[in-house]
Amino acid sequence: MRVVELRAEHVREPLGLGSARPRLSWRLETDVPGATQVAYELTVGEYSTGRVESPDQVLVAWPAPPLASRESRAVTVRVWTGPEDSATSDPLRVEAGLLDPRDWRAALIGGEAAPGDTDGPAILLRREFELPAEPVRARLYATAHGVYEPELNGATVGDHVLAPGWTSYHHRLRYQTHDVTGQLRAGRNTIGAWLAEGWYAGRLGFRGGRRGVYGDRPAVALQLEVACADGSTHVIATDGEWRAAPSPITATGLYDGERYDARREEIGAHEWGPVTERPLDASRLVAPDGPPVRRTEVLRPVSARRTGDGRTILDFGQNLTGRLRIRVEGERGATVVLRHAEVLQDGELYTRPLREAEARDEYILRGGGPETWEPRFTVHGFRYAEVAGGVSEVDAEAVVCHTDMTRTGWFDSSDPLLNRLHDNVVWSMRGNFLDVPTDCPQRDERLGWTGDLAVFAPTAAFLYDCAGLLTSWLADLAAEQAELGTVPFYVPWVELLGPSLPAAVWGDAAVVTPSVLHERFGDAGILRQQYPSMRAWVDQVAALSGEHRRWDSGFQFGDWLDPAAPPEQPAAARTDPHLVATAAHADSARRLAHIAAVLGEDGDRERYLAHANAVAEAFNDEFVTPSGRLASDAQTAYAMALTTGLLAKEEQRERAGRRLVELVRAEDYRVGTGFAGTPLICDALTGVGAADAAYHLLLQRECPSWLYPVTMGATTMWERWDSLLPDGTVNPGEMTSFNHYAFGAVADWLHRTVAGLAPAAPAYRRILVRPRPGGGLEHAEAVHDSPYGRIRVGWQRANGRLNVHVSVPPGVTARVELPAPGWAPVEAGPGIHEYTCDFRAPTDDPPPVRDAHPFNTPEKE
């Protein structure tokens, strides 16, 4: 028996925690079948809880006196599985950050020149100082209006990328804490930083975007605190005594790329001058809730093609987010030009989908030997790169960058295309969870669109431990909402097309996302934190809906990117946007009623439940016929009505289910849904007993479908079902990204229904094992590292038998429901379990039922 992965809050590295009372979690590993925790003892420094009779082991309340700023304590947990059987964890050292704004002595400093209409340069900042003795403890606390990279004695501090990340700066500014004891020495030391505009002062957004959204010039705040062996303590903080100089980075921006002149590295090249200084508003500073952006992988090209004019086009075999690292040798002053794109057309980089993002890096050689370079303050979304310039040979590799989340979910099946689809979902999440959950990583946008996250959150929470990242993002959402009076279209908010307006699905992220974090990570704290935001959103829409309870006014995205919508009219869906809005409002009100119950807000629970029922009744009155047909005779309309419990009568639900199957069949099992319907369509079909139709829809290879992009060579999810047309040309729409995760929301159905691993209680403390094999699949499996430990559910079928294996970690129970007539549900505890029942062979799965309709007439074929 082992107690493992003891941690504080949602961070792996508990240095510089922002909470004085961090919650604690741990996992129990044991080979003893059925063993589970019955009691624990937490020890924090000299404080001990004694034995606590409890099975709780996820986000357990801090049991000791609160931490003070900078205070460090060792934490251990002892776990019992019986009266005597116990095990104790290794110690976890937790350390608080600067918890009081008065702890900060640093000012914000920067260069003198304000940026113009183009990407500004990065600047260098430095100061020398003396230490009288060897350092025994040193911490660097750092943040910036912009993006920064700190250095001590010429070496980079930490491995963060684009720190401090992007928050709603006028509400919240994140700071980082580094242990730098090993980078200091007795005697003379030098502290410095690189500083660039980043999200703070650089260009943001589409259609030209905006510069200086938060301020017109970047600045950094560094506070180095050192304790020396002689007992002395020292604080070296940014102030007017520091010096600034131009850096070799002569221009850098998130969209257009970076230009680096290595000749400016030479001794004496920097002209050091005074810094500008302004106060740091420490009341806005917050410690990170999750991991930073890091370099997470390096990919070598799978092919390189030399063009007739001396350029080299590299294919990395994978659409990714990051930048190139090059190794080059050549004459002084020679320039290497790097261009990036997601796709090729006619053998060349096709950059129209980038819109106004240049995605171009330049490196000017210093000469005299081999040189290695990687941009510091930019990232691109690309699979292909072009290398050109005045050198004959350049060795290049792709450095993948994203928030360094822990992978927690996997899926596998007997269908290689389905497995590639799931891989594409994973890569799109990696590419777009770059400090905030963005829509795309390549063009002049890269914004935290709320609608994308609202539909993808369940999938995201299965694949990666994204609780910390989303906790931070939700705090910004609540802050922006409070200022703007509504949930904006994206977070952080940048006004590009006028003021933010309330919109269904997008605004519902305020309720859906905390609900998912509670379900998947067991975090009731996020519900309490976001509760005012959730209430404000539901109350706002209730007011807009009026006494008739239907949200039928104002702007709506509707079922965005319905495949039937014209390329330049992505909101022109087949489903009435007011039907979508009313259904989404009913769902959020019902979710909020459940959340109120979790928080003990009984009055709110009754009020929001009554409101949800009233909205459902209004939905029926306006959009549903007595027999169960919907006013919008479209896949999304039926999927929303069926999965959110909006249909009042059983006969209506039955007829709506039959009609949904008819519509899916009439489209020849091609997808007919956009953002609102895509996460729900397979669940809706499965829920009405049409799982085979869901499989036919899932495994369709003709456009529009999930597998069509796979057959076209996609390695990430596309924004449009037909971002690449069958003839290999790019969709003519202005919005044509090849890395958008929203339609990858179907992966949640793969996990829960195809493989059969679904949460049935917060943090997967209880799971539902209910696989529904089909589609000719011979086997499928899902694996999830839940807060309690690894869960594995898989099945194989052959010779008329279905074999299901289930691995349940300590602290978790399972309800097993197999798809066999007369099968009685089975309860399973911790351990490894095998179940078998009669079930048809893969070759006996029902084939698609095909009707005469426009898609399969001889003329179309």
Side-chain angles (χ1 to χ4, degrees):
M1 183 167 61
R2 296 191 306 145
V3 181
V4 300
E5 296 186 41
L6 175 60
R7 71 176 186 170
E9 292 295 336
H10 296 294
V11 298
R12 297 194 306 268
E13 301 151 347
L15 175 67
L17 292 172
S19 172
R21 298 177 181 272
R23 297 168 297 174
L24 302 168
S25 304
W26 59 89
R27 295 179 182 175
L28 179 63
E29 293 181 352
T30 175
D31 295 329
V32 180
T36 192
Q37 175 183 304
V38 297
Y40 68 82
E41 178 187 25
L42 279 167
T43 302
V44 180
E46 297 180 355
Y47 179 88
S48 173
T49 62
R51 178 171 169 141
V52 178
E53 302 295 328
S54 171
D56 295 342
Q57 58 189 83
V58 174
L59 297 172
V60 174
W62 180 256
L67 296 168
S69 289
R70 309 175 182 86
E71 185 175 4
S72 175
R73 296 190 194 173
V75 179
T76 59
V77 60
R78 182 182 180 186
V79 169
W80 286 267
T81 56
E84 301 296 334
D85 297 327
S86 70
T88 302
S89 72
D90 291 335
L92 172 72
R93 182 154 291 279
V94 300
E95 182 175 315
L98 302 183
L99 304 179
D100 189 324
R102 292 171 296 183
D103 294 324
W104 285 88
R105 292 170 51 181
L108 285 163
I109 63 170
E112 291 186 344
D117 295 330
T118 58
D119 290 336
I123 64 170
L124 298 172
L125 299 150
R126 73 190 295 265
R127 179 187 166 178
E128 294 183 345
F129 61 96
E130 296 272 350
L131 292 177
E134 286 296 318
V136 295
R137 183 184 186 275
R139 300 291 184 265
L140 177 65
Y141 304 98
T143 189
H145 285 169
V147 287
Y148 75 98
E149 188 172 287
E151 290 185 349
L152 276 171
N153 294 321
T156 300
V157 174
D159 56 2
H160 299 187
V161 173
L162 299 177
W166 186 15
T167 52
S168 179
Y169 294 107
H170 50 295
H171 298 118
R172 302 168 65 250
L173 176 61
R174 198 181 295 131
Y175 71 91
Q176 285 75 41
T177 303
H178 298 278
D179 181 351
V180 294
T181 310
Q183 290 184 252
L184 296 172
R185 56 182 176 253
R188 183 170 295 275
N189 291 265
T190 302
I191 182 172
W194 299 68
L195 173 67
E197 296 171 344
W199 294 279
Y200 182 83
R203 177 160 67 100
L204 286 177
F206 45 85
R207 299 188 183 180
R210 288 179 55 195
R211 291 190 177 275
V213 170
Y214 302 99
D216 63 358
R217 64 183 67 191
V220 67
L222 304 177
Q223 184 162 310
L224 176 64
E225 301 185 357
V226 186
C228 290
D230 65 353
S232 62
T233 60
H234 310 269
V235 177
I236 299 92
T238 44
D239 58 20
E241 298 300 313
W242 287 54
R243 307 291 283 170
S247 81
I249 300 175
T250 58
T252 183
L254 294 168
Y255 298 155
D256 292 334
E258 189 159 299
R259 185 168 65 247
Y260 189 95
D261 187 345
R263 296 170 298 182
R264 298 169 64 93
E265 297 174 348
E266 296 170 358
I267 299 297
H270 306 314
E271 298 178 2
W272 294 96
V275 297
T276 59
E277 180 182 0
R278 61 179 185 261
L280 171 67
D281 183 356
S283 67
R284 298 179 184 175
L285 292 176
V286 295
D289 294 297
V293 175
R294 286 191 171 105
R295 303 165 181 84
T296 62
E297 188 173 353
V298 176
L299 299 181
R300 298 290 302 171
V302 298
S303 69
R305 177 172 57 84
R306 191 82 167 179
T307 65
D309 57 0
R311 295 172 292 120
T312 300
I313 295 179
L314 304 174
D315 177 5
F316 289 93
Q318 174 62 56
N319 199 8
L320 59 95
T321 299
R323 60 265 188 122
L324 296 182
R325 180 184 294 151
I326 62 171
R327 298 174 183 86
V328 62
E329 188 170 359
E331 294 183 1
R332 179 182 176 82
T335 300
V336 178
V337 178
L338 310 174
R339 298 172 61 236
H340 308 76
E342 293 185 295
V343 292
L344 300 179
Q345 193 161 295
D346 299 324
E348 297 289 340
L349 267 63
Y350 193 67
T351 59
R352 180 180 64 82
L354 302 180
R355 299 192 305 211
E356 296 182 39
E358 287 291 328
R360 173 191 173 106
D361 299 324
E362 294 184 11
Y363 179 74
I364 303 174
L365 279 69
R366 76 176 74 87
E371 304 175 39
T372 299
W373 178 71
E374 172 190 335
R376 263 186 173 86
F377 297 124
T378 192
V379 291
H380 310 291
F382 67 100
R383 171 175 172 170
Y384 302 94
E386 177 192 276
V387 181
V391 293
S392 58
E393 294 293 334
V394 177
D395 178 67
E397 56 193 9
V399 181
V400 180
C401 299
H402 57 79
T403 296
D404 189 18
M405 306 167 292
T406 300
R407 179 80 182 268
T408 57
W410 297 265
F411 172 85
D412 183 62
S413 77
S414 57
D415 188 328
L417 291 183
L418 195 58
N419 296 342
R420 180 68 246 191
L421 170 68
H422 193 269
D423 288 344
N424 292 358
V425 176
V426 171
W427 272 100
S428 276
M429 180 175 174
R430 291 178 68 180
N432 282 294
F433 275 55
L434 193 140
D435 202 64
V436 300
T438 60
D439 58 329
C440 60
Q442 75 296 106
R443 67 184 179 219
D444 56 343
E445 193 164 352
R446 313 185 197 184
L447 303 173
W449 285 89
T450 48
D452 299 57
L453 196 278
V455 301
F456 189 72
T459 298
F462 183 91
L463 295 175
Y464 282 90
D465 181 356
C466 55
L469 179 151
L470 293 181
T471 295
S472 178
W473 182 77
L474 283 169
D476 281 330
L477 182 150
E480 301 280 23
Q481 177 189 11
E483 178 179 330
L484 298 168
T486 191
V487 179
F489 300 154
Y490 41 81
V491 174
W493 171 248
V494 180
E495 188 171 322
L496 298 168
L497 301 175
S500 183
L501 302 171
V505 180
W506 277 247
D508 290 294
V511 178
V512 171
T513 310
S515 174
V516 169
L517 294 184
H518 176 246
E519 177 190 61
R520 302 303 177 95
F521 298 102
D523 192 348
I526 192 66
L527 300 182
R528 177 57 69 188
Q529 172 186 305
Q530 298 299 126
Y531 193 58
S533 164
M534 292 186 272
R535 287 186 54 188
W537 170 250
V538 173
D539 289 348
Q540 179 187 17
V541 177
L544 292 170
S545 301
E547 294 183 358
H548 62 276
R549 308 295 190 192
R550 296 187 304 275
W551 193 3
D552 55 8
S553 62
F555 170 80
Q556 295 293 343
F557 288 101
D559 192 26
W560 185 256
L561 286 171
D562 177 330
E568 298 302 339
Q569 294 179 280
R574 287 168 283 195
T575 301
D576 182 345
H578 300 132
L579 183 155
V580 171
T582 304
H585 178 48
D587 181 58
S588 280
R590 200 171 300 280
R591 285 177 184 264
L592 184 52
H594 173 72
I595 289 166
V598 172
L599 297 178
E601 302 285 352
D602 294 336
D604 282 353
R605 183 193 66 81
E606 294 177 5
R607 179 163 68 92
Y608 288 116
L609 184 58
H611 180 68
N613 291 335
V615 175
E617 183 176 350
F619 181 93
N620 274 265
D621 292 344
E622 179 72 8
F623 300 114
V624 187
T625 69
S627 68
R629 292 285 290 267
L630 292 181
S632 290
D633 200 33
Q635 291 181 27
T636 289
Y638 289 97
M640 294 191 79
L642 288 164
T643 57
T644 55
L646 290 173
L647 302 178
K649 301 175 182 178
E650 183 62 32
E651 55 268 29
Q652 288 179 318
R653 291 190 288 272
E654 291 178 358
R655 180 65 187 99
R658 292 198 306 274
R659 183 57 184 159
L660 176 60
V661 175
E662 292 166 3
L663 289 172
V664 170
R665 206 160 61 200
E667 297 279 351
D668 200 19
Y669 303 97
R670 290 172 168 85
V671 169
T673 54
F675 271 38
T678 295
L680 309 175
I681 183 68
C682 288
D683 275 308
L685 290 167
T686 306
V688 300
D692 291 316
Y695 271 105
H696 301 325
L697 185 70
L698 173 71
L699 299 175
Q700 169 65 263
R701 301 185 186 187
E702 300 298 320
C703 186
S705 69
W706 281 288
L707 292 187
Y708 164 74
V710 178
T711 67
M712 296 294 288
T715 62
T716 43
M717 300 302 299
W718 293 351
E719 179 176 22
R720 297 178 181 269
W721 297 106
D722 59 349
S723 285
L724 196 66
L725 302 178
D727 64 1
T729 60
V730 175
N731 188 296
E734 180 192 10
M735 303 180 341
T736 307
S737 159
F738 293 87
N739 195 350
H740 253 68
Y741 55 64
F743 290 144
V746 71
D748 191 50
W749 187 76
L750 298 182
H751 308 146
R752 292 183 290 102
T753 303
V754 175
L757 197 171
Y764 293 82
R765 194 167 194 167
R766 181 168 174 78
I767 61 172
L768 177 61
V769 178
R770 187 165 58 187
R772 292 297 179 263
L777 297 182
E778 297 173 355
H779 63 81
E781 181 181 64
V783 178
H784 181 60
D785 283 340
S786 78
Y788 286 92
R790 176 159 290 190
I791 303 168
R792 186 185 301 269
V793 176
W795 53 263
Q796 305 84 30
R797 55 176 173 154
N799 303 318
R801 302 289 288 173
L802 175 67
N803 300 307
V804 178
H805 61 269
V806 183
S807 179
V808 182
V812 175
T813 59
R815 178 182 173 91
V816 182
E817 299 180 7
L818 299 191
W823 175 272
V826 174
E827 295 293 319
I832 298 174
H833 310 276
E834 300 283 343
Y835 305 95
T836 302
C837 68
D838 294 332
F839 198 78
R840 63 180 182 258
T843 53
D844 293 331
D845 284 342
V849 176
R850 304 192 185 277
D851 300 323
H853 57 78
F855 283 107
N856 64 3
T857 59
E859 291 79 11
K860 282 285 184 181
E861 291 176 351

